[in-house]
Amino acid sequence: MMKKLCTMLLCLGAVALSAQELTILHTTDIHGQATIAQIGTIIDQERTADKDLIAVDCGDISNGSPSAYTDAGASMIECLNAFKYDIFVPGNHEFRIGNKAFRRNCDLFTSGKVLGANIEFADPAKAPSKGLGSWTILERKGLKIAVIGLLCHRYDNWIGFSLYSGIRLISPVDTLKKIMPEVRTAKPDVVIVAAHLDAKSIMESVTGNDNWSYTLSSALQELCPEASLILAGHTHRVVPLLEVHPGCWEVQPPTHGKGIAKIKLTYDPKAKKVTAVTSEILSTKGVAPKADMPEVWVKNQAATKDFLAKPVAQLPEGVVLGRVKKDPASNDRMIELFAKAIADQIPCDGVFCHNYASWRDKKGTLTENDFFRLHNNNQYITVLTLTQEQFQTIKAEIEKRTPGTKFFWFQKFTDPGKQQTLKIAFDAYDVTGCDGALNQLRIIANGVKDRVDTDHHVRGLLRAFLMKLYPVK
């Protein structure tokens, strides 16, 4: 009897020390696409095979498509709940929908935790009621898995200041220095970083005294060497599996719901570390949509279809929008149209503008769908009151660094060069430096006293302008 008991205990000990395999499903940058229904089917199938799997989405789910626009991404978040996602990390597009919808969507995510370690809310009214976690512990198969959530720290490059105000995004480098002692106290077996970033993303130490510049990979190697996996997003690169430094792998699935990453981690309890990582991209092409999608999503899909078919403006005979073939000047005319739409509703002396149009040769009736094809992002407008010297400095920089940008006057000055100050409208992305291309503009804008960060975006302004110019009869 004693011999049998000892044999049983030895077997149990062997089981306890055997390697454990964790399954992780990873999506990112779905941008409100209907392929979320195919993702639901794949997750159901995978969960049948492994009920202990972990599901993570790394952001940009609630903006970027007409259906996401019609309900500001609420039905997409409900899909994550229905599919039992464990982690949601907001992306920069989650902020494009406005602070109110951002807070609501964070609070709507109830199947797991919203993580964003490097976001702070200077204005508590703009914070989700449940707050944003920095990291969390998931328990699977007797293992403690720490998941750290990181966001891009330069959201002001993509959204209007009116949305960004009251929200502070600090460097992931400084964030890791702050939270890693807490994470280590929990003694996790596995550490995963879920990020709306990729391993090559550059970040600086913006709150400390050190003038560091890191990639996410190098930051983790120095400050979080325990991390075995980076679940990446934001850059729209497909990374099936890449060892970014010894013992740490990166995975980033396709955008717009075209695929989902299935990752397997093998944990060796004797070595007390992850010893193997495999990954495959599961394509949604040809996959049947999930039959029992959330009712709110089904209703939103139908409402979006009706919304997109709605006529908005009627172009008269001979008026064509878009880049007309064999007519290079048509591009300049489209830029001028966008500029006129901005100046029509925003008081200013002049406008720096781009061509946002993505289609050619549009005639006749313009529907709501056409306006999404004209400009599918909410690019906001900032107005700066500039001195002549500031204006000329900015103009020279834009002409050199972003030559596709045009300038248009909308005040009939006898001599604009003699005006003491000028009110100039800009794309908010340009005002924040155009991701490093327009540093002089960024510096001047940050020091301007009379600055108006509007809640008007380019698509809405063009829509209102064309409705007035060419009403539907």
Side-chain angles (χ1 to χ4, degrees), residues 167-451:
I167 299 173
R168 182 168 178 253
L169 289 126
I170 60 177
S171 166
V173 172
D174 297 312
T175 300
L176 289 169
K177 289 165 66 178
K178 177 182 176 181
I179 68 171
M180 282 314 299
E182 303 170 11
V183 175
R184 292 184 182 112
T185 299
K187 297 182 179 180
D189 300 298
V190 179
V191 176
I192 296 171
V193 175
H196 195 68
L197 294 159
D198 75 356
K200 293 183 179 180
S201 295
I202 300 292
M203 60 204 71
E204 299 85 24
S205 178
V206 294
T207 58
N209 296 320
D210 296 319
N211 219 1
W212 296 344
S213 181
Y214 285 99
T215 62
L216 177 59
S217 171
S218 61
L220 292 176
Q221 191 169 14
E222 180 171 331
L223 302 170
C224 180
E226 301 94 331
S228 301
L229 180 64
I230 302 170
L231 301 176
H234 179 61
T235 59
H236 289 209
R237 292 192 309 131
V238 179
V239 183
L241 184 65
L242 174 68
E243 190 171 18
V244 293
H245 59 77
C248 184
W249 289 263
E250 175 191 14
V251 175
Q252 185 170 182
T255 64
H256 300 101
K258 294 176 184 176
I260 180 170
K262 177 183 178 181
I263 305 129
K264 286 191 177 291
L265 301 183
T266 301
Y267 179 82
D268 185 343
K270 293 180 182 178
K272 294 186 177 180
K273 66 178 183 179
V274 173
T275 54
V277 179
T278 62
S279 176
E280 60 178 317
I281 302 297
L282 307 178
S283 173
T284 56
K285 187 176 181 179
V287 174
K290 182 175 167 66
D292 54 339
M293 290 291 285
E295 184 180 358
V296 64
W297 184 84
V298 175
K299 287 182 176 179
N300 183 56
Q301 291 296 301
T304 300
K305 186 177 179 181
D306 293 340
F307 169 74
L308 290 178
K310 184 180 176 182
V312 178
Q314 182 69 44
L315 300 179
E317 187 70 28
V319 175
V320 180
L321 296 185
R323 299 180 182 182
V324 181
K325 294 174 184 176
K326 299 180 181 179
D327 181 8
S330 66
N331 184 52
D332 288 352
R333 287 197 293 271
M334 280 303 298
I335 299 176
E336 185 175 10
L337 179 64
F338 279 106
K340 285 180 177 178
I342 293 167
D344 185 62
Q345 293 187 57
I346 296 179
C348 60
D349 299 320
V351 177
F352 281 100
C353 201
H354 314 268
N355 183 2
Y356 301 92
S358 61
W359 44 243
R360 300 170 181 253
D361 303 356
K362 182 62 186 175
K363 306 175 184 178
T365 303
L366 293 178
T367 64
E368 293 286 3
N369 186 52
D370 292 320
F371 282 94
F372 273 92
R373 294 181 64 196
L374 263 172
H375 188 32
N376 65 5
N377 285 323
N378 299 345
Q379 213 68 8
Y380 287 78
I381 300 299
T382 290
V383 179
L384 305 177
T385 299
L386 304 171
T387 65
Q388 283 287 347
E389 184 181 359
Q390 290 171 329
F391 172 72
Q392 292 301 333
T393 298
I394 291 167
K395 188 171 184 291
E397 181 181 50
I398 288 176
E399 288 173 349
K400 182 179 179 181
R401 302 297 300 274
T402 58
T405 305
K406 305 292 182 183
F407 179 74
F408 302 89
W409 287 113
F410 287 101
Q411 288 291 347
K412 294 181 179 179
F413 299 119
T414 305
D415 184 352
K418 291 184 178 179
Q419 294 298 121
Q420 191 172 2
T421 59
L422 301 164
K423 286 187 179 294
I424 308 297
F426 297 86
D427 184 316
Y429 174 67
D430 291 348
V431 168
T432 54
C434 197
D435 207 17
L438 299 174
N439 285 324
Q440 286 298 316
L441 173 54
R442 176 179 56 81
I443 292 167
I444 290 171
N446 287 344
V448 166
K449 222 178 220 184
D450 192 355
R451 166 178 172 160

